[in-house]
Amino acid sequence: MDVKFDGIPEGATRIVYVRPVKVADLPAEVQAHAGGLKTIYALHDADGDRLALVRDRALAFALARQNDLAPVNVH
């Protein structure tokens, strides 16, 4: 398949990885802001650095796209 995809700038690493995170596995100060949620979603860059934590998967994907990033789901 030799089809160019216009969603990602050529030559740029603009991928962000979205994965679920158990709130219980996070530091206490983050847990205090989780509002009773059991799972939240983390966005990570290609190096594995955490960029953001958000309340749901849809918000994670929207945040990535608003920042010109291509979100990829990680299990």
Side-chain angles (χ1 to χ4, degrees):
M1 183 186 257
D2 218 7
V3 177
K4 184 177 179 182
F5 178 67
D6 291 332
I8 303 172
E10 193 171 325
T13 309
R14 302 291 302 169
I15 295 175
V16 67
Y17 299 94
V18 177
R19 72 176 186 93
V21 177
K22 292 181 183 176
V23 172
D25 294 341
L26 296 170
E29 61 269 9
V30 177
Q31 290 181 28
H33 295 284
L37 297 172
K38 303 245 187 250
T39 302
I40 59 177
Y41 288 80
L43 288 86
H44 294 268
D45 66 12
D47 294 326
D49 295 325
R50 184 179 293 158
L51 303 174
L53 293 169
V54 296
R55 75 177 301 113
D56 61 45
R57 184 179 176 277
L59 181 57
F61 273 66
L63 178 63
R65 290 183 181 125
Q66 286 176 349
N67 288 282
D68 298 322
L69 299 168
V72 176
N73 197 36
V74 178
H75 299 279

